[in-house]
Amino acid sequence: MIALYQPTFIEKLRDLNPTSSVLRAFVTLYEYVATMKIPSSYKPPQTNREWRDYLCSIPREWIIPFVNQHQLRPEQVDTESKREWDVWRAMLDRLSVAACMSQVPEMARYGHLNDDAHIQDVIDVMTDDSRVVKEKVNPLHIAVAMAKYWAPNRIWETHVRIENAYEHAFETATKNFKTTGKNICIGVDPSFSMEAQPLIPGTVLTPLLTSAVLAECFTQPGNGVAFGSLIKNQYRSMKVSWLGMESLYQLLRKQRTFDVDHAAHIKSAEKQMVPVDVFIIITDSCYSRGDMHPLKALEAYNKTMNRKAKLVLIELKPEQYEKYEAVATNRSSFLKIKGFHSRLLDDVRTFIMTPALRLGLKHKRSSAARQAVAA
């Protein structure tokens, strides 16, 4: 008599082809008990939520092996597992520098950054200059992550070493923004409204602080950058190279006023016969302030100086920061940017480097991209 093959209970479970993450976890648990090894024959969960449910259903001692085996990211790990530093340590080496910086507030929230050894592990990733350059980390990503770490409603204590690591990484990342070789004149709206509310909710990144961040990004070897507040009849330009982001920000705070002229730097350059290739206005208002519209002032400047200078208007309105839009108009001599996005620097550089009538820049941020402001 030929003996018929009797499938094992594990094989019967496999034939069920379970769809729910909890049932898959049960099948995995039974096979682990039967074979005393972590099985690898099952299709892993697909979504972040499925992974979190899955990890909640398996023994705690499996978490780190599963994190390593499937190279899980923080958003795929459940809350209970994040309370263990060893889980974070398992993910840390695989995270990109930008992802690590964005997760620092989360690590601090769970109390992991009260230990010097843990802080050093994080700093080693954040200050790896070769990785910052190789991964082309966007300095705006770092600025947003830094602003979240300093969140006004935070429940953790900030650490000077981490703050210094953020600033060091930011300075290194600004080198990823390629030089334009142009003379740039930046004017910042010094209105009190620029500090009234944060640009991104839950952070300290106000439009005024963002202005200092952008000025620092534009300041690269080969760029001639002048910077100043758009105070009526009192515009004074200064070189940004000898000022850091924090010094720029504090200087802008001291110069806040109601007497604003958005064309002040253009009129000042015309009066002093200063050669400028691009004028930049950073404001939180969609209305022109002053006795002359900036486009009229630009037209007068180009006529007097016999140049083809361009104008960039950046509107950082807190209630519209997610609705990013960059449109070049007026024969590509004027770029208007609304909102805040990681590609803002690239859009400005493209506008600066592209000859007039060839640009046609028109970029609107998709609804999906709005979810990744501070990734």
Side-chain angles (χ1 to χ4, degrees):
M1 179 183 293
I2 300 176
L4 296 176
Y5 173 72
Q6 296 294 327
T8 66
F9 183 63
I10 294 179
E11 290 173 329
K12 291 180 180 179
L13 286 176
R14 287 176 180 170
D15 292 339
L16 291 176
N17 190 23
T19 56
S20 73
S21 57
V22 175
L23 186 55
R24 280 201 302 269
F26 172 76
V27 174
T28 304
L29 176 61
Y30 185 88
E31 184 169 353
Y32 174 76
V33 173
T35 63
M36 296 309 294
K37 66 179 181 180
I38 297 178
S40 57
S41 57
Y42 297 109
K43 183 179 179 181
Q46 299 300 308
T47 66
N48 294 342
R49 182 174 180 177
E50 285 181 355
W51 265 117
R52 291 192 294 268
D53 292 341
Y54 190 86
L55 294 180
C56 286
S57 306
I58 63 177
R60 292 287 92 190
E61 60 269 20
W62 288 16
I63 300 298
I64 294 177
F66 263 86
V67 167
N68 287 324
Q69 180 181 353
H70 297 284
Q71 299 186 356
L72 299 186
R73 303 181 304 275
E75 58 270 21
Q76 296 173 306
V77 177
D78 63 290
T79 301
E80 191 63 30
S81 298
K82 288 182 178 180
R83 300 183 188 279
E84 302 177 22
W85 170 250
D86 289 341
V87 175
W88 282 101
R89 191 66 191 86
M91 296 185 289
L92 199 57
D93 291 335
R94 291 192 302 272
L95 290 177
S96 66
V97 176
C100 175
M101 292 182 186
S102 66
Q103 290 296 327
V104 167
E106 187 80 351
M107 298 181 207
R109 188 167 69 88
Y110 284 103
H112 296 313
L113 299 184
N114 295 324
D115 185 288
D116 288 341
H118 299 172
I119 292 176
Q120 190 59 50
D121 288 341
V122 174
I123 289 177
D124 288 342
V125 177
M126 295 173 64
T127 57
D128 190 338
D129 294 351
S130 60
R131 288 186 62 188
V132 172
V133 174
K134 182 179 179 180
E135 296 175 14
K136 298 181 180 179
V137 179
N138 191 317
L140 297 185
H141 283 162
I142 300 177
V144 172
M146 196 184 326
K148 287 186 175 181
Y149 181 65
W150 290 333
N153 59 344
R154 63 181 180 273
I155 59 174
W156 59 85
E157 292 291 331
T158 58
H159 295 272
V160 175
R161 292 171 62 196
I162 295 179
E163 292 174 0
N164 291 339
Y166 269 126
E167 292 175 3
H168 175 84
F170 177 81
E171 292 176 3
T172 304
T174 55
K175 300 174 183 176
N176 293 332
F177 180 63
K178 297 179 180 179
T179 181
T180 62
K182 303 293 185 179
N183 292 326
I184 303 173
C185 185
I186 303 173
V188 177
D189 187 334
S191 303
F192 286 93
S193 60
M194 293 281 281
E195 278 281 272
Q197 57 181 318
L199 182 64
I200 300 176
T203 72
V204 295
L205 194 66
T206 62
L208 198 67
L209 179 55
T210 306
S211 302
V213 169
L214 293 175
E216 184 79 6
C217 294
F218 289 127
T219 306
Q220 294 298 316
N223 291 348
V225 179
F227 177 87
S229 296
L230 296 175
I231 303 175
K232 188 173 182 179
N233 300 325
Q234 295 183 31
Y235 177 82
R236 297 192 202 91
S237 64
M238 65 196 88
K239 294 295 182 181
V240 186
S241 56
W242 56 272
L243 289 171
M245 178 179 60
E246 181 64 23
S247 299
L248 282 175
Y249 174 57
Q250 295 302 332
L251 183 62
L252 289 171
R253 282 179 59 87
K254 293 177 182 178
Q255 295 179 345
R256 285 178 294 173
T257 181
F258 293 105
D259 201 7
V260 179
D261 183 359
H262 283 168
H265 57 331
I266 305 176
K267 292 186 286 188
S268 176
E270 180 185 6
K271 183 178 179 180
Q272 300 179 29
M273 304 295 286
V274 178
V276 176
D277 297 304
V278 181
F279 293 97
I280 297 178
I281 301 172
I282 306 177
T283 180
D284 65 341
S285 173
C286 59
Y287 301 102
S288 174
R289 298 179 180 178
D291 54 6
M292 180 181 290
H293 194 280
L295 282 176
K296 291 292 184 181
L298 179 69
E299 184 180 347
Y301 172 84
N302 284 335
K303 184 176 181 180
T304 300
M305 298 291 294
N306 192 25
R307 297 181 68 86
K308 295 182 179 180
K310 297 181 177 182
L311 176 64
V312 178
L313 174 63
I314 302 175
E315 294 179 4
L316 301 174
K317 300 183 70 174
E319 63 272 19
Q320 296 181 357
Y321 86 95
E322 287 189 337
K323 301 177 181 178
Y324 181 81
E325 181 177 344
V327 180
T329 59
N330 197 22
R331 296 187 178 182
S332 299
S333 63
F334 175 49
L335 173 64
K336 185 173 184 179
I337 293 178
K338 295 181 180 180
F340 184 77
H341 192 272
S342 58
R343 67 171 295 160
L344 187 151
L345 295 175
D346 291 329
D347 284 344
V348 173
R349 186 182 185 279
T350 300
F351 173 75
I352 293 174
M353 299 302 296
T354 306
L357 301 179
R358 293 186 188 177
L359 183 63
L361 177 65
K362 187 172 184 179
H363 169 72
K364 291 188 178 182
R365 189 174 177 185
S366 66
S367 57
R370 295 175 193 171
Q371 307 300 322
V373 176

